[in-house]
Amino acid sequence: MVMIIQTYGTMLLKAMGHTLLLCLLSLVFASVIGMIFGLMNVGRNRVLNFIGTVYVDAVRGVPLIVLAYFIYFGVPTAIQQGLGITSFRLSPLQAGTIALSMNCGAYMAEIVRAGIQSVDRGQMEAGRSLGLSYGAGMALIVIPQAIRTMIPSIINQFIITLKDTSILSVIGFPELTNVGKTVMGNTFKPLQAWAVVGIMYLIVITILSKVSKQIERRINRGR
Amino acid sequence: MADKTDVKISVKNLKKNFGSLEVLKDISLEVTEGEVVVLIGPSGSGKSTLLRCLNQLEKVTSGQILVDGVDVTDKHTNINKVRENIGMVFQHFNLFNHLNVLKNMTLAPVHLKTLPKEEAKDKAMQLLSRVGLADKAEAFPSQLSGGQKQRVAIARALEMNPDIMLFDEPTSALDPEMVGEVLAVMKELAKDGMTMVVVTHEIGFAREVADRVIFMEGGYIVEEGTPDEIFNHAKEPRTIDFLSKVL
């Protein structure tokens, strides 16, 4: 195990960097996607409700690995053949970010929806009765309160997404799990190799949950 | 009846359904400037729904509602602009829980630019003193008692400088010892000439403050008149029956 750390330490750390990069990018996009589709789902507009529901159900109904294959292999082929742009390709990072953002975004949309619906209807009514528009009521009154109840679920989702990056090893993105495979192949020491990889995930995720607990506590104190 | 120019609210043949449930069946009503109208009736009679239709928190099924001559049921009416002129006080206060008292009050006028920030603050402080809560400007809603919350809610509505105030059972969620402080603020307001429509079970308040009492049941206005006419000389058996239970 010491040998693995000595020989492959830098490589594994770099892979962890890739994992975090992929995770971070996905989280940023997923937050935007989640906010948009979540808001679509709480509004009264039937068409938007429908689009939001279809998106959430479709993405949640497809395994991430299938979504990743579809975007990495399927979509470029479609664009090459359909639009005649033969040079079109997605890098593993691009495809991975898209797949993970879509996946995480669907769950975030549900978190946003639940968060907004947890705010008493009277809050919006009071805002509207003062002359605020629906949008202003959402932005100034409902969402600031919804975010507080959403935070634990968001953090939970972030941790899930961090772990889900490992699935994207299948499209060849050099994140931690993928590099773990290489290390195992090179050393023929699966036990040690996967122990090291596992502990690396564990450390990062534990730090993340501790930090998030702190954030959660701080927010609840201000309540 | 006062002449036409004094009419603040005019409701004509209002109907409101929730799905297949007819809550308001055929309501026509006028409220003149400075008038205090109290709506009473058993629960489910439609009085809160009627109130909520006046500022379009509920969309009407049919009929017309004019506020200051503006048809609020018309899709082309800028309802937000009309609502700036109609304050509403809710049973459950609905203070913005994430903001302190001062910010609760200044949020709407500052966002809607009806008042500059500093003026909005000054006005809020004046209103808070008027409802006896100047020392609570920095407090959060969770730190206030029910009566204090409701007084802040009234002050918040007044901050928009409305012509009309709607009260939806403002004392029903309060502990008995706090009802008085809220009613006192409302009486003060009535004395200052505010046009008010009040849904309440406080018969004492209605007797003392109302210019007109309307008894509703089953989605209809059954009887209306001065407090004396309704409480002492009711004609309709259903009014008499209801009053015998609450008086």
Side-chain angles (χ1 to χ4, degrees):
Chain A
M1 202 142 135
V2 176
M3 189 276 281
I4 289 180
I5 294 170
Q6 277 171 347
T7 319
Y8 297 100
T10 12
M11 200 171 142
L12 285 167
L13 279 178
K14 209 175 148 205
M16 178 51 96
H18 284 142
T19 292
L20 290 175
L21 173 70
L22 177 61
C23 179
L24 222 70
L25 281 175
S26 304
L27 290 177
V28 170
F29 291 124
S31 302
V32 177
I33 293 172
M35 204 38 119
I36 293 170
F37 283 98
L39 282 171
M40 277 185 176
N41 277 336
V42 292
R44 284 222 190 121
N45 187 314
R46 292 255 174 87
V47 179
L48 293 182
N49 287 166
F50 181 74
I51 296 170
T53 314
V54 166
Y55 175 79
V56 170
D57 288 350
V59 174
R60 289 203 305 182
V62 175
L64 179 55
I65 194 164
V66 174
L67 188 64
Y69 280 141
F70 182 80
I71 287 166
Y72 186 58
F73 297 114
V75 170
T77 311
I79 290 174
Q80 284 158 15
Q81 290 170 358
L83 301 176
I85 310 165
T86 48
S87 61
F88 186 86
R89 270 200 178 71
L90 284 174
S91 74
L93 177 61
Q94 288 165 341
T97 304
I98 295 170
L100 205 52
S101 303
M102 284 178 72
N103 179 272
C104 181
Y107 289 96
M108 289 285 283
E110 282 299 277
I111 293 169
V112 169
R113 183 189 57 76
I116 287 173
Q117 285 176 348
S118 76
V119 177
D120 181 63
R121 259 184 50 196
Q123 294 285 312
M124 176 62 101
E125 285 183 352
R128 297 303 307 267
S129 79
L130 292 166
L132 297 179
S133 65
Y134 177 82
M138 267 291 162
L140 301 175
I141 297 162
V142 177
I143 290 175
Q145 296 184 60
I147 281 177
R148 289 184 168 177
T149 57
M150 276 154 53
I151 278 177
S153 316
I154 290 175
I155 288 163
N156 196 27
Q157 187 55 44
F158 281 10
I159 290 170
I160 291 171
T161 300
L162 180 62
K163 290 197 277 188
D164 278 354
T165 55
S166 67
I167 290 172
L168 299 171
S169 60
V170 298
I171 56 171
F173 183 65
E175 48 68 58
L176 189 54
T177 302
N178 204 353
V179 172
K181 274 192 226 166
T182 313
V183 173
M184 178 183 71
N186 289 355
T187 58
F188 297 107
K189 285 181 178 160
L191 178 68
Q192 290 88 332
W194 290 118
V196 171
V197 169
I199 288 166
M200 286 178 76
Y201 276 116
L202 190 63
I203 290 170
V204 171
I205 287 167
T206 309
I207 292 171
L208 236 114
S209 9
K210 290 272 180 262
V211 170
S212 58
K213 277 269 156 56
Q214 281 296 321
I215 297 171
E216 208 182 313
R217 208 169 299 151
R218 191 162 307 169
I219 283 167
N220 281 334
R221 209 180 296 145
R223 210 172 267 235
Chain B
M1 270 273 134
D3 73 66
K4 271 286 173 218
T5 54
D6 285 331
V7 174
K8 294 297 279 183
I9 303 172
S10 163
V11 178
K12 286 175 196 143
N13 304 108
L14 171 63
K15 289 194 175 71
K16 169 69 186 174
N17 301 346
F18 287 113
S20 60
L21 183 71
E22 289 183 288
V23 182
L24 298 177
K25 284 167 188 159
D26 187 10
I27 302 281
S28 293
L29 160 77
E30 275 190 354
V31 181
T32 55
E33 187 161 6
E35 196 178 17
V36 177
V37 175
V38 171
L39 301 173
I40 59 169
S43 55
S45 59
K47 49 197 195 309
S48 281
T49 305
L50 171 57
L51 197 71
R52 291 162 57 83
C53 281
L54 297 181
N55 67 350
Q56 289 293 290
L57 283 183
E58 301 292 350
K59 295 258 172 297
V60 307
T61 305
S62 69
Q64 196 188 37
I65 299 172
L66 302 178
V67 176
D68 278 326
V70 178
D71 184 356
V72 297
T73 58
D74 184 345
K75 264 189 279 183
H76 303 291
T77 299
N78 181 354
I79 189 64
N80 295 332
K81 207 73 204 156
V82 178
R83 281 177 181 148
E84 286 181 18
N85 223 7
I86 311 175
M88 185 161 200
V89 175
F90 300 85
Q91 182 177 359
H92 296 288
F93 331 123
N94 297 349
L95 293 184
F96 307 136
N97 297 315
H98 63 307
L99 300 174
N100 68 20
V101 165
L102 201 59
K103 291 235 172 80
N104 256 279
M105 296 180 64
T106 56
L107 176 90
V110 170
H111 178 78
L112 297 168
K113 300 195 169 64
T114 57
L115 282 178
K117 204 168 180 180
E118 283 309 311
E119 259 176 66
K121 261 190 195 167
D122 292 345
K123 180 156 194 219
M125 288 311 298
Q126 282 169 22
L127 284 166
L128 282 176
S129 337
R130 199 167 139 195
V131 298
L133 291 170
D135 54 330
K136 297 290 184 189
E138 302 294 326
F140 278 83
S142 58
Q143 297 163 321
L144 302 176
S145 73
Q148 292 172 332
K149 281 183 198 174
Q150 198 60 300
R151 284 186 281 156
V152 170
I154 295 171
R156 178 176 70 179
L158 293 175
E159 174 87 4
M160 292 301 292
N161 219 6
D163 288 352
I164 301 166
M165 285 285 284
L166 309 176
F167 292 84
D168 189 2
E169 303 199 25
T171 57
S172 296
L174 296 177
D175 291 337
E177 75 267 25
M178 291 170 185
V179 169
E181 61 192 69
V182 171
L183 292 181
V185 171
M186 290 169 64
K187 279 177 205 166
E188 198 64 27
L189 211 54
K191 214 167 61 189
D192 291 348
M194 178 66 77
T195 307
M196 293 163 65
V197 183
V198 184
V199 172
T200 187
H201 297 293
E202 294 294 331
I203 302 299
F205 173 83
R207 245 188 230 281
E208 191 182 335
V209 183
D211 295 307
R212 184 151 49 111
V213 176
I214 296 178
F215 172 70
M216 285 180 70
E217 191 180 47
Y220 292 104
I221 291 177
V222 175
E223 191 168 0
E224 61 181 300
T226 64
D228 181 55
E229 284 166 350
I230 296 293
F231 295 124
N232 302 332
H233 311 286
K235 294 184 197 79
E236 295 288 329
R238 282 183 292 170
T239 315
I240 294 162
D241 181 50
F242 173 76
L243 290 172
S244 72
K245 287 171 191 153
V246 296
L247 282 180

